[in-house]
Amino acid sequence: MKELSVKELARRVTHLAVSLFILLCVTFVIGRILPADPVGAIVGELADPTAYAAMRQKLGLDLPIYQQFLIYLNGLAHGDFGTAVLTGNPVSSDLAQAFPATFELATLAILISTFVGVPLGLTAALFRDTFIDKIARIVALVGHSIPVFWFGIVGLVIFYAGLNWVGGPGRVDVFYEGMVTPQTGLLLVDSLLQGETEIFWNAAGHIILPAVILAYAAMAYITRMTRSFTLEQLSQDYVIAARAKGVGPARTVIGHVLPNIAVQLITILAISYGGLLEGAVVTEIVFSWPGIGQYMTNALMIGDMNAVVAATIIIGFIFMFLNFLADIAYAIFDPRTREAAQ
Amino acid sequence: MKHFSRSLFVGVALCALTLAAPALRAATPADQLVIGTSLAQVLSLDPQQATEAKANEIMSNLYDRLVASTPDGKIVPQLAESWQVDDKGITFKLRDATFASGNPVTSKDVAYSLGRLLKLDQAAAANLKRVGYTKDNIDQLVKAVDDKTVRIDLSGEVTSELLLYRLAMVVASVVDSVEVQKHVANDDYGNAWLRTHSAGSGPFTLNRWTPNELVILDANKDYVSGAPKMRRVIVRHVPESQVERLMLERGDIDIASALTASDLATFDNKKGFEIQRVPTGGFYVLSMNAGNKYLSNPKVREAIAYGIDYKGIEKTIMGPYGRARTVPVPENFEYAIPSPDWHLDVAKAKELLAEAGFKDGFTVNLKTIAQTPRIDLATAIQASLAQIGIKVDIQQGNGSDIIAAHRARNFDLLIPQTGSYMPNVLGAMEQFASNPDNSLEANNAGNFVWRSAWDIPELTALTAKASLERDPKRRGELYVEMQKMFVDQKPAVLPMFERFEPIVLNDKVHGYVGHPNQTTRLEAVTKAETD
């Protein structure tokens, strides 16, 4: 515990900050050298050169790139991500609007993948090389190799268009649009807070398919990793001893193995969660989900680099922050680290 | 990968749909119209700023103009009750309309709106600037005579008939000057506010616009011609064509546009749906950079014109999107001449290339937006030009980078698309036939012909002459002359296919008539069960 002192924490925070800064630099530079033309997008394809030049100047795109970067950093220091070309709003307010939709989707997805993936991995390990194990492995392999895009469309064809079990694209049926005032931005939460149970169920019907599809790839990874962590533990002396004493397989796993792989699992879950936020980009396009992924893709299409850079930074930050938390968790909870420290 | 996934998808989709054919059908409420489309290009809903087609469709329902044009091209009154044309200009009498805010529509609003268009000075202003209206002279040329009378003087570069067509465009929408002026910030004429709000007298008002998500229009119950039939119109952003198709099939949307050719094909003769093929008056064009050492040669351009399989492409690729046509005037327009004898003729094309001194052919790039049907069109052109010895490298990109390359004359071949703002030869042809200054310094990137570095002083002069000709018969003769001269010069902006916008409607929808200039009005649209 002592080793995870203020010093160690400071080192990790610095590391996080430096990584973020590098991400920022790279994204910014790529954004500015791309041949995309936000000015043309704003003033129109047939605008004449004076109007074009005026807008270019207004956006500060006529300055040398290092100056643009300094201006950007200065803004960032004041919490200003710049203005989005697409919406004319501050990027930060756009992101504040788009992020909850992604957050809601990814959180539901990580819950699904955890509650399915971990037990599946444990069971597969326990019944190694049996029928159950094979099924689990196939499920995991499929989830790992099929593109989300394809999965999403097939899901819609079957469960939405065909069977009519789930709602279609979007967060809610169109005629419910605009009936819930965003408070947290999470539609499931807001609709309940405002007593709109009908909208809650409608929204739940809409989120379930994209969440399951998004969860599937993560679940595959979680299952595989849980299985291999468990197998590693099963060959350890303490497990063999426990089983020799007559402890049943379920108790062995829940009472002995699970606590021992918990820290590794936390890391895996953190990584998966970050991955889900990224994976949302494709899912959101297929499901017309108005989250950060769709926002970023559209921004990229018209060369709206303020929006792209900010969205990248946010996703990057979350990804790195989750890793950071996982590392910390490791240091705090791993018994071996703890013993070494003592 | 995407293509692979798509073909796999089609198979699975067909199986699943066949199995689940009698499935339940949800439906949108009968008093709400839901349109599915791509809103990716909608960047503003300020009528004096936005020019994109989808934005036009929305704005034409939020605002009225002095006059409107019918889908078959007649000028009809909208805010103007009547008008008087004389040698110097047009005097409009306004009807007793009010804005959604409750303010009366006055001639001051008309003058303010036209002034605002030219002072904001973005692409939307181009059509009036092209005929001599500028931010400096607009306040002299447009005058409020009294509250209900407005006078627009001619600039000297346009006839009143042609001016009326320009006033029928969405850019000439009349905004509520009292309301807009309340929201001016940094001398922006209220632009920042009006991008996301509406201040019009049209049949609908803007309830909400969330970029890339949806637009909600509410009926304006006090609309001067009576409240619209629909309580709300919802335009939903559905970027994936296949997904849009499913939503239409299930009844979650009533009208779908921006579908790919293969998704459209599934609605052919399908019960419960109707396909409308809306003409645009515009074209899919092969732009050749005449600044390129090969393409500057008219013989090479002619060889290319003979190296494209128009009929084959029309049949296999364009389908509902286009019809072969190599003069930039739709065939059904008055005074349109027949297409020249350009068709796939490998021997003749090779002969022309040899005459030009390029017997062994050459290599050029072809830039295109990766979008249906342009991307397939590019591939077909690549294959057919290969037969005459021209090797084509296709470079695809998104809208902004391809347009940027076009503006910068940074391409060899490029496939843009055009539209027409009035249903006559001039409206369709103007952007193909006028390039006042071809020099690089002119940097006239807003001009379609300049972008191809195609120098056409005679044709430019003739186009200007036709815009000023008042005698209809003489104007018709000039129209014919313009088209012939265009063909003779072996165009560097080669129209290939007349462009249509196909849309699919659930047949419960009645009264929707797609407008060629994307100014489809929705106040008379109704929904009713037919089965």
Side-chain angles (χ1 to χ4, degrees), chain B residues 336-349:
Chain B
I337 67 168
S339 289
D341 180 39
W342 291 328
H343 60 277
L344 182 61
D345 184 339
V346 175
K348 176 141 193 183

Side-chain angles (χ1 to χ4, degrees), chain B residues 86-97:
Chain B
D86 56 59
D87 284 355
K88 296 257 168 55
I90 313 173
T91 307
F92 295 89
K93 278 275 175 215
L94 301 182
R95 63 201 290 203
D96 276 324

Side-chain angles (χ1 to χ4, degrees), chain B residues 371-529:
Chain B
Q371 190 185 66
T372 304
R374 286 194 255 188
I375 189 71
D376 298 321
L377 186 52
T379 317
I381 289 172
Q382 179 187 45
S384 104
L385 289 182
Q387 294 180 46
I388 68 169
I390 298 176
K391 187 173 174 302
V392 173
D393 292 329
I394 295 177
Q395 294 172 8
Q396 34 175 306
N398 61 40
S400 58
D401 52 57
I402 296 300
I403 291 169
H406 200 193
R407 293 181 71 97
R409 291 180 168 182
N410 173 24
F411 65 96
D412 299 332
L413 302 174
L414 195 140
I415 305 181
Q417 62 181 38
T418 64
S420 160
Y421 69 95
M422 55 182 179
N424 59 31
V425 171
L426 203 63
M429 197 169 172
E430 198 175 66
Q431 55 180 329
F432 287 85
S434 176
N435 183 8
D437 181 355
N438 191 45
S439 67
L440 190 61
E441 299 72 48
N443 189 22
N444 196 4
N447 183 299
F448 193 67
V449 179
W450 181 89
R451 293 185 188 184
S452 272
W454 189 36
D455 200 12
I456 42 168
E458 284 174 15
L459 189 52
T460 304
L462 189 58
T463 308
K465 196 170 156 195
S467 346
L468 277 176
E469 181 54 56
R470 287 186 194 172
D471 174 24
K473 185 165 167 289
R474 177 76 193 115
R475 195 164 61 225
E477 287 163 15
L478 289 173
Y479 283 170
V480 171
E481 208 181 316
M482 277 169 72
Q483 295 168 77
K484 285 186 174 155
M485 191 185 281
F486 177 83
V487 172
D488 285 345
Q489 304 228 355
K490 317 301 177 202
V493 283
L494 174 71
M496 300 180 290
F497 301 93
E498 208 182 314
R499 191 165 70 82
F500 294 85
E501 284 288 350
I503 56 172
V504 186
L505 302 93
N506 187 314
D507 65 8
K508 283 189 298 186
V509 177
H510 298 283
Y512 185 98
V513 185
H515 194 290
N517 302 354
Q518 283 84 39
T519 52
T520 307
R521 292 270 281 209
L522 302 170
E523 68 255 45
V525 172
T526 58
K527 269 167 73 177
E529 288 293 349

Side-chain angles (χ1 to χ4, degrees), chain A residues 184-196:
Chain A
T184 61
L186 307 173
L187 194 55
L188 292 173
V189 177
D190 288 345
S191 56
L192 280 184
L193 285 179
Q194 290 164 37
E196 299 275 6

Side-chain angles (χ1 to χ4, degrees), chain A residues 169-171 283-290 294, chain B residues 236-239 243:
Chain A
R171 292 175 85 182
T283 316
E284 286 179 6
I285 296 291
V286 177
F287 288 92
S288 304
W289 198 263
Q294 198 182 102
Chain B
R236 190 168 225 320
H237 177 54
V238 188
V243 172

Side-chain angles (χ1 to χ4, degrees), chain A residues 34-53 55 58 83-89 94 97 145-147 149-180 182 206 282 284-291 294-295 297-304, chain B residues 1-2 4-6 8-9 12-14 16-17 20 23-29 32 34 39-44 49 51 120-124 126 129-130 191 195-196 208-214 216 232 234 236-240 242-243 246-253 398-407 416-417 431 442-448 451:
Chain A
L34 273 180
D37 181 20
V39 186
I42 300 175
V43 297
E45 198 180 332
L46 294 173
D48 74 13
T50 44
Y52 189 89
M55 183 54 76
K58 192 175 157 201
T83 302
V85 168
L86 184 65
T87 57
N89 298 328
D94 278 359
Q97 199 179 25
S145 40
I146 289 185
F149 176 82
W150 186 81
F151 234 156
I153 299 221
V154 171
L156 279 173
V157 168
I158 297 173
F159 299 105
Y160 162 68
L163 299 170
N164 208 356
W165 287 358
V166 300
R171 292 175 85 182
V172 75
D173 277 351
V174 272
F175 40 91
Y176 287 129
E177 289 286 2
M179 288 175 65
V180 171
H206 276 260
V282 181
E284 286 179 6
I285 296 291
V286 177
F287 288 92
S288 304
W289 198 263
Q294 198 182 102
Y295 178 74
T297 313
N298 286 310
L300 199 59
M301 286 297 178
I302 64 156
D304 185 354
Chain B
M1 196 63 223
K2 207 172 164 189
F4 169 69
S5 312
R6 283 188 183 202
L8 251 180
F9 159 76
V12 175
L14 284 177
L17 285 176
L24 296 161
R25 251 179 66 181
T28 57
Q32 299 190 37
V34 184
L39 293 172
Q41 304 286 326
V42 177
L43 298 172
S44 166
Q49 177 181 40
T51 51
L120 270 178
D121 195 17
Q122 299 198 355
K129 276 162 72 181
R130 201 174 285 151
N191 172 245
R195 283 183 67 204
T196 52
R208 183 148 78 101
W209 167 44
T210 317
N212 293 316
E213 187 183 346
L214 82 167
I216 301 178
R232 289 211 294 184
I234 299 168
R236 190 168 225 320
H237 177 54
V238 188
E240 261 301 317
Q242 294 156 354
V243 172
L246 295 178
M247 293 180 81
L248 181 67
E249 280 170 348
R250 225 192 73 162
D252 279 356
I253 56 179
N398 61 40
S400 58
D401 52 57
I402 296 300
I403 291 169
H406 200 193
R407 293 181 71 97
Q417 62 181 38
Q431 55 180 329
N443 189 22
N444 196 4
N447 183 299
F448 193 67
R451 293 185 188 184

